[in-house]
Amino acid sequence: MEEEASPPGLGCSKPHLEKLTLGITRILESSPGVTEVTIIEKPPAERHMISSWEQKNNCVMPEDVKNFYLMTNGFHMTWSVKLDEHIIPLGSMAINSISKLTQLTQSSMYSLPNAPTLADLEDDTHEASDDQPEKPHFDSRSVIFELDSCNGSGKVCLVYKSGKPALAEDTEIWFLDRALYWHFLTDTFTAYYRLLITHLGLPQWQYAFTSYGISPQAKALLRLFDGSSPPVDLNNPRGRAGIWSRRF
């Protein structure tokens, strides 16, 4: 059974939480209008939980993912803004716990009895190129696990590119949008985590890495923090702006 999270705390008073959040709490708390910066503290995963996950899924977990879970069994940080007298939840940064790092399957995508299968959605006309790696497949060629449901705007996924048995070095991080199109994010979990923190968990920030980009509303929100946070290249669908040097 997954251990219960500790009560949420405001800010990052503990050194290990400060390390985990890369100091982003100080940036948020010093930003005008930002309030209720909250981290739901979670205990570290035990090594046997990682081993059980690997055996159950016939996949070797990447070393940086293991190190992350040995620090905290999942991650959830939120913050709000105060407009007039109203508190509006805005930012949300999340990584699923080990128990929720589940494989993407037909049942997790559709609930309608006559819905198309994931195999029906396969399109092999757009394969790897110089500037875009081969996209994941919904069939046995890839093994896909959900890292974050993105509050319903898509799914960030840990993708094993070569099927089972799956090796740690064959992983990448991809974004699956609501139309079930794939968009490459990063080669490693560490690089993705930096992106997550850099973009402050703003709504739909992953769409900055799609060909159509994020919504005008989200762009406006990001610009509110131009003076406080690392720059974000909103016009480059495969941009790498603002990636920090932290490693797990």
Side-chain angles (χ1 to χ4, degrees):
M1 178 180 296
E2 182 182 348
E3 296 183 52
E4 294 184 359
S6 301
L10 295 178
C12 261
S13 58
K14 298 183 179 180
H16 74 283
L17 290 181
E18 182 73 12
K19 182 179 179 182
L20 181 66
T21 60
L22 310 180
I24 201 68
T25 50
R26 293 195 304 272
I27 293 174
L28 287 170
E29 289 171 340
S30 64
S31 298
V34 173
T35 186
E36 297 184 356
V37 180
T38 305
I39 301 173
I40 300 177
E41 187 177 353
K42 299 175 183 288
E46 299 179 9
R47 290 189 180 275
H48 73 82
M49 299 168 66
I50 295 174
S51 298
S52 296
W53 184 92
E54 291 179 321
Q55 293 174 7
K56 174 184 176 182
N57 294 290
N58 197 16
C59 297
V60 179
M61 188 177 287
E63 200 64 28
D64 57 353
V65 180
K66 286 183 185 179
N67 291 337
F68 173 82
Y69 282 125
L70 290 173
M71 183 183 296
T72 176
N73 189 9
F75 176 67
H76 192 197
M77 178 177 177
T78 60
W79 53 277
S80 302
V81 293
K82 188 173 183 179
L83 296 177
D84 298 326
E85 298 302 316
H86 302 285
I87 304 297
I88 302 174
L90 187 60
S92 178
M93 293 165 261
I95 300 291
N96 284 342
S97 64
I98 289 180
S99 66
K100 294 181 180 179
L101 186 63
T102 54
Q103 187 172 347
L104 214 60
T105 62
Q106 176 74 19
S107 60
S108 66
M109 298 299 297
Y110 290 110
S111 58
L112 299 176
N114 295 321
T117 66
L118 292 178
D120 292 334
L121 302 173
E122 282 293 337
D123 178 8
D124 292 328
T125 59
H126 296 90
E127 293 301 335
S129 61
D130 291 340
D131 62 348
Q132 180 76 12
E134 181 180 353
K135 69 178 180 61
H137 298 280
F138 290 117
D139 56 26
S140 60
R141 286 175 288 179
S142 302
V143 189
I144 305 164
F145 296 91
E146 182 183 313
L147 284 167
D148 179 16
S149 63
C150 305
N151 292 319
S153 65
K155 294 179 185 294
V156 173
C157 298
L158 173 68
V159 176
Y160 289 83
K161 301 178 292 181
S162 302
K164 295 184 179 182
L167 303 177
E169 56 267 28
D170 288 336
T171 57
E172 293 173 340
I173 308 298
W174 287 72
F175 176 60
L176 181 65
D177 68 22
R178 293 189 64 180
L180 301 182
Y181 288 107
W182 287 107
H183 309 277
F184 178 76
L185 292 178
T186 62
D187 293 311
T188 66
F189 172 80
T190 296
Y192 170 72
Y193 187 79
R194 297 177 199 142
L195 285 182
L196 173 65
I197 297 297
T198 299
H199 288 76
L200 307 173
L202 284 162
Q204 302 180 23
W205 70 263
Q206 292 90 352
Y207 281 87
F209 291 81
T210 69
S211 59
Y212 28 90
I214 63 175
S215 67
Q217 294 87 347
K219 286 186 180 181
L221 290 171
L222 279 170
R223 291 193 183 100
L224 292 176
F225 301 95
D226 278 350
S228 307
S229 63
V232 176
D233 185 354
L234 300 178
N235 298 313
N236 182 355
R238 299 190 63 233
R240 293 294 180 269
I243 296 181
W244 297 355
S245 59
R246 171 75 167 91
R247 292 194 64 81
F248 290 105

